[in-house]
Amino acid sequence: MSETGSLRWPGSGAENSADEAWLTAIAQAAAGDSEAPLELLVEYLTLLADAAISGRRPRDHELAIVRELGRRAAEQGIPAGRVADLYLSAAWRMWRDLPDVVPYRDRDTVRASAQAVLRAVGEAIAVLVDSYQVATKHLIRQEESLRRELVDDLLRGDPDVAGMVERAEPFGLDLGRPHQVVLARPADGLPEADASVNMLEAFILDRFGDREVLVATKEGLLVVLIPATTPGTAPRTVNQGVGTLIHDALIRHRSGREWRVSTGRPYPGSYGIARSYEEAREALTLADRLRLDTPVVDAQDMLVYRVLVRDQAAIVDLIQAVLTPLTGARGGAEPLLRTLEAYFATGEVATDAARRLNVSVRTVTYRLTKVRELTGHDPGDPGQRFILHIAVLGARLLDWPSRDLPRGADALS
């Protein structure tokens, strides 16, 4: 009846053909009730029938077959409850019909037979469930490993496009569609095995109803690969709040834990995924360098800062020409730079800047005057304010004055 074996009545000979047909009928009925494959009952009903007649316990080779069937059930994705229901349904069907097949002479014989059958059922199901759980854990680890490898290769832009398409198919990914990458990083670091991965994947599937989603971890980041469009709808872009939705879900999942989320723009194809990832990662880096207090940053909103980074030589010249005189102030350039940042961020309102810095208004006005004296640029003058603002942004991008300015066109690191 299957590759493992066939149902047979204990013993041998042509006289057992009717009994074998009886066991087969029980197996078919139980499989129909449980909606489980018939082959999962191979050997099980035979050992039950043998236990009912002889009272013996299942042999090791019989339980080994049951263990193998549990592994197969897990690999086929059959729910554990359905498999257990299959075995119990077969057991009660066999016990119900057993008196018609094997006439019992007294109650003691019936009692002994019942005990033997129940013991056999218990041992078989225990082996089955244990094997099922072991196989399930192995399959989960294997899928997580394959998922991690796939995500890593997608993010680095593996040149084997055909191979990537084939590997993505089991995960339901259509690499011909536009995808975007969303990164999430907790302030306190991400443990290797973090429950946020499963929570976030379930949230995205529930929110967007799209199974074409992958969530994994990479270098201390949660990586979310999500399609930018859904069938029959307009493109879903970062402007529609995907980053904010993911951030809010993470905050609800771990209250009190701070997260920063960045979103890359959507692009089609496997190379588009790598491009979106690089944008999201660069957005995180720029947000850190600029000391932005917003928890969600979009790559599209960071384009102006990317322009500054790309022309690094010009930014270095601007910082040297405009801001290096601030190093001569008492306490160095850093307090004056923080004051300029707060002043520009609050729309050039000194009182708001003072509140943001937790200092007095007098301190803010004194520092702004000091900036004007040292640099020759007045923060209150519209034309000169623009020059100072760009210079301050460039200083933060290059982590100056904490780090020395790069020479020539050294890359931002």
Side-chain angles (χ1 to χ4, degrees), residues 339-358:
T339 301
L340 286 172
E341 280 184 305
Y343 184 64
F344 296 140
T346 55
E348 295 86 41
V349 178
T351 54
D352 291 344
R355 189 178 303 110
R356 186 168 185 150
L357 294 169
N358 198 26

Side-chain angles (χ1 to χ4, degrees), residues 361-394:
V361 177
R362 183 177 179 181
T363 298
V364 171
T365 57
Y366 168 79
R367 290 177 180 177
L368 293 177
T369 300
K370 199 66 177 178
V371 168
R372 185 177 67 249
E373 293 174 355
L374 292 173
T375 66
H377 292 80
D378 183 2
D381 181 87
Q384 297 179 27
R385 180 174 65 236
F386 176 77
I387 296 174
L388 280 171
H389 196 179
I390 296 299
V392 170
L393 290 176

Side-chain angles (χ1 to χ4, degrees), residues 291 326 331-339 341 396 400-402:
R291 305 181 185 181
L326 298 181
E334 183 60 32
L336 300 179
L337 286 177
R338 285 202 305 269
T339 301
E341 280 184 305
R396 290 314 188 198
W400 183 87
S402 298

Side-chain angles (χ1 to χ4, degrees), residues 143 146-147 150 167-173 211-214:
E143 180 175 339
L146 293 174
R147 177 198 300 255
L150 175 63
R167 291 168 55 193
E169 186 177 357
F171 293 95
L173 290 180
R211 295 200 59 80
E212 195 175 340
V213 171
L214 280 182

Side-chain angles (χ1 to χ4, degrees), residues 75-338:
E75 291 179 348
Q76 294 175 22
I78 303 171
R82 186 179 301 173
V83 179
D85 182 63
L86 172 69
Y87 272 44
L88 293 174
S89 176
W92 75 258
R93 285 177 177 278
M94 191 205 72
W95 181 253
R96 180 192 61 188
D97 296 344
L98 199 57
D100 296 333
V101 180
V102 182
Y104 294 108
R105 297 180 179 179
D106 54 59
R107 286 182 297 178
D108 291 339
T109 304
V110 174
R111 185 182 301 110
S113 178
Q115 291 175 346
V117 170
L118 290 174
R119 183 173 57 192
V121 170
E123 291 186 24
I125 290 185
V127 168
L128 180 83
V129 172
D130 179 69
S131 174
Y132 186 97
Q133 291 176 339
V134 171
T136 298
K137 291 178 181 178
H138 174 72
L139 291 172
I140 291 175
R141 287 195 298 269
Q142 186 178 45
E143 180 175 339
E144 288 177 348
S145 177
L146 293 174
R147 177 198 300 255
R148 186 185 297 273
E149 292 175 4
L150 175 63
V151 171
D152 284 344
D153 290 343
L154 285 171
L155 297 185
R156 70 180 177 85
D158 193 303
D160 183 10
V161 177
M164 293 302 300
V165 171
E166 182 177 352
R167 291 168 55 193
E169 186 177 357
F171 293 95
L173 290 180
D174 178 4
L175 296 184
R177 296 178 59 186
H179 287 78
Q180 67 184 111
V181 174
V182 182
L183 301 179
R185 183 189 63 201
D188 55 354
L190 186 69
E192 184 64 24
D194 193 281
S196 301
V197 174
N198 293 334
M199 180 284 302
L200 197 55
E201 188 166 41
F203 165 77
I204 293 173
L205 293 176
D206 179 67
R207 175 64 178 80
F208 297 113
D210 195 329
R211 295 200 59 80
E212 195 175 340
V213 171
L214 280 182
V215 182
T217 59
K218 180 178 176 64
E219 299 174 355
L221 300 172
L222 275 179
V223 180
V224 182
L225 178 60
I226 185 170
T229 60
T230 53
T233 66
R236 184 199 306 145
T237 69
V238 294
N239 293 329
Q240 291 174 288
V242 173
T244 300
L245 288 171
I246 290 176
H247 177 266
D248 292 347
L250 289 169
I251 293 297
R252 288 194 300 270
H253 174 62
R254 292 285 185 88
S255 59
R257 193 178 193 184
E258 295 183 2
W259 291 84
R260 169 160 278 175
V261 175
S262 66
T263 53
R265 290 178 294 174
Y267 299 100
S270 59
Y271 288 120
I273 293 173
R275 182 179 178 184
S276 182
Y277 167 67
E278 290 300 327
E279 285 189 351
R281 192 172 65 168
E282 186 177 31
L284 274 182
T285 301
L286 293 176
D288 291 342
R289 289 289 176 85
L290 293 168
R291 305 181 185 181
L292 300 181
D293 55 6
T294 175
V296 180
V297 291
D298 296 338
Q300 184 168 327
D301 296 336
M302 306 300 288
L303 291 178
V304 63
Y305 305 114
R306 293 179 64 194
V307 172
L308 296 179
V309 172
R310 295 296 183 266
D311 197 358
Q312 189 174 184
I315 290 298
V316 170
D317 287 342
L318 182 62
I319 295 171
Q320 289 174 336
V322 176
L323 298 182
T324 50
L326 298 181
T327 58
R330 179 182 300 178
E334 183 60 32
L336 300 179
L337 286 177
R338 285 202 305 269

Side-chain angles (χ1 to χ4, degrees), residues 32-46:
D33 288 345
S34 304
E35 297 182 355
L38 183 66
E39 61 266 21
L40 295 181
L41 286 173
V42 171
E43 199 68 29
Y44 170 67
L45 280 178
T46 301

